[in-house]
Amino acid sequence: MGKQWFPYVRAGVLERVERMVARAARDGALPAAEALVVLGAWQALLERHGGADGRCVLCRRTSRRLCGVWQVAVAYFVRPDAP
């Protein structure tokens, strides 16, 4: 995953998290304040785990492959069958 792809992956994950949290808050599954906390937590976690080129700063990975945090985020928030 290089510099050219990571910004798109990051944007897709965060956009998906935002939509899911908004839907949960709208449908009453989460109170609005809790929805904002969930969104903020994911945003902070992903921010800490991603440099501009996709290398994980926190995990100290030198590989351009996504770290475990990003792999989970992509699997849950960008997969094709996600609601």
Side-chain angles (χ1 to χ4, degrees):
M1 181 85 36
K3 285 183 188 181
Q4 69 274 20
W5 295 106
F6 184 71
Y8 298 107
V9 170
R10 181 183 190 283
V13 167
L14 291 177
E15 185 264 329
R16 178 76 178 145
V17 170
E18 197 169 308
R19 278 191 296 149
M20 290 174 72
V21 171
R23 184 182 325 146
R26 182 185 65 235
D27 295 346
L30 285 176
E34 288 182 24
L36 291 174
V37 169
V38 170
L39 176 59
W42 266 104
Q43 288 172 327
L45 180 63
L46 295 173
E47 187 68 33
R48 298 245 356 207
H49 278 268
D53 65 354
R55 288 191 178 113
C56 183
V57 178
L58 211 58
C59 293
R60 297 190 175 120
R61 295 173 51 92
T62 56
S63 168
R64 289 185 184 249
R65 291 181 46 142
L66 296 176
C67 75
V69 171
W70 275 99
Q71 289 175 23
V72 168
V74 168
Y76 281 90
F77 300 120
V78 184
R79 68 182 192 264
D81 62 340

